[in-house]
């Protein structure tokens, strides 16, 4: 579990107001799917592709888990943790000290993190109990990081789209991939009022699709 954060960004909040509108405007001009906005704010919604300013908020427990994930990379000062969240989210979320330090204090109080003075600054590190808590919440943390990585990529696309950069970059979403995602969302929305029998049918389809997506694609043997 150590080093969990080295492969993905994190966030506690959402981007600036109007980001969803800018995404829609860019998409209308045929520039693709994604976006980039400013730093987040504590208390803003954390949504998915349907809206970046709505959806569930990160709870205090979520933020604590994110901080523990950072501490798995090694001891850090509070300011370093704030900057790490900003960097790993591609600027999507810059948490305030008023949010981070109370969370760190709580983690220390319940024994998931320890602190020692390094010069005149507090350095926080993961305890054995903290590592055990991370291990027990591996899937939950991975899902949060995956969502944040997705949003960070959208924000990066917006920056490039607004700058007029049309050339595709490695890791960009293919047009057919974006179209398929949108078609699925629209199909589900149009069947939102389906009766129970239809819901069972749709659920079975989605389970099969999920299992297939989660199955790694076969790799060609090396010569």
């Amino acid at each position: 579990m150590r080093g969990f954060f080295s492969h993905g960004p994190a966030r506690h909040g959402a981007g600036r107001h109007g980001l969803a509108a800018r995404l829609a405007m860019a998409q209308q001009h045929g520039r693709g799917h994604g976006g980039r906005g400013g730093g987040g704010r504590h208390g803003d919604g954390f949504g998915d592709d349907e809206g970046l300013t709505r959806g569930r908020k990160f709870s205090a427990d979520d933020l604590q888990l994110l901080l523990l994930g950072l501490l798995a990379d090694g001891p850090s000062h509070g300011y370093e943790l704030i900057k790490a969240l900003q960097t790993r989210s591609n600027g999507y979320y810059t948490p305030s000290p008023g949010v981070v330090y109370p969370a760190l204090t709580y983690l220390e109080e319940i024994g998931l993190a320890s602190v020692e003075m390094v010069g005149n600054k507090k350095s926080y590190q993961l305890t054995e109990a903290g590592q055990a808590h991370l291990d027990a919440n591996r899937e939950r943390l991975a899902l949060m990081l995956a969502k944040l990585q997705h949003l960070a990529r959208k924000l990066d696309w917006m920056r490039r789209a607004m700058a007029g950069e049309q050339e595709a970059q490695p890791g960009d979403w293919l047009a057919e991939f974006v179209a398929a995602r949108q078609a699925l969302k629209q199909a589900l929305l149009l069947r939102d009022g389906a009766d129970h029998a239809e819901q069972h049918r749709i659920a079975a389809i989605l389970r099969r699709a999920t299992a297939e997506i989660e199955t790694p694609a076969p790799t060609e043997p090396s010569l």
Side-chain angles (χ1 to χ4, degrees):
M1 188 66 180
R2 293 194 180 278
F4 208 120
F5 256 85
S6 57
H7 299 293
R11 168 182 178 263
H12 171 234
R16 293 175 182 168
H17 295 299
L19 175 57
R22 295 201 300 275
L23 282 171
M25 179 183 68
Q27 289 169 342
Q28 288 172 1
H29 285 82
R31 291 185 175 179
H33 177 75
R36 184 181 191 281
R41 300 187 307 161
H42 174 55
D44 286 343
F46 177 61
D48 54 18
D49 292 341
E50 285 78 22
L52 301 183
T53 57
R54 53 190 169 88
R56 78 172 183 85
K57 301 174 182 178
F58 266 10
S59 67
D61 191 51
D62 289 332
L63 176 59
Q64 292 156 18
L65 185 60
L66 292 173
L67 292 172
L68 290 174
L70 284 173
L71 291 177
D73 289 337
S76 296
H77 302 302
Y79 177 75
E80 292 172 334
L81 294 171
I82 292 172
K83 295 302 292 184
L85 286 169
Q86 180 186 34
T87 300
R88 288 174 169 84
S89 66
N90 197 22
Y92 189 59
Y93 172 56
T94 305
S96 69
V99 171
V100 170
Y101 285 105
L104 289 170
T105 298
Y106 179 73
L107 290 173
E108 180 190 0
E109 290 175 348
I110 63 175
L112 300 185
S114 61
V115 61
E116 64 179 51
M117 295 301 297
V118 178
N120 61 349
K121 296 181 180 179
K122 290 183 177 181
S123 178
Y124 298 87
Q125 58 186 353
L126 198 65
T127 63
E128 289 186 7
Q131 182 63 54
H133 183 72
L134 276 180
D135 292 339
N137 290 275
R138 180 186 298 268
E139 292 186 4
R140 178 174 153 224
L141 180 57
L143 181 59
M144 286 193 287
L145 296 179
K147 288 181 177 180
L148 293 170
Q149 185 175 33
H150 172 73
L151 292 174
R153 290 179 65 191
K154 293 183 72 170
L155 295 172
D156 181 65
W157 178 88
M158 176 60 77
R159 176 188 61 79
R160 291 189 285 112
M162 291 303 182
E165 299 176 16
Q166 300 293 329
E167 185 177 351
Q169 301 293 323
D172 279 355
W173 292 300
L174 295 174
E176 63 179 301
F177 176 75
V178 175
R181 283 173 53 109
Q182 295 300 324
L184 175 59
K185 292 174 185 177
Q186 291 173 13
L188 291 174
L189 180 62
L190 290 173
R191 287 156 181 79
D192 186 63
D195 59 27
H196 287 180
E198 179 67 358
Q199 289 179 40
H200 281 302
R201 186 185 74 86
I202 294 172
I205 293 172
L206 294 176
R207 283 194 295 269
R208 291 195 298 270
T210 298
E212 187 172 347
I213 291 171
E214 290 180 339
T215 301
T219 57
E220 296 190 11
S222 58
L223 299 178

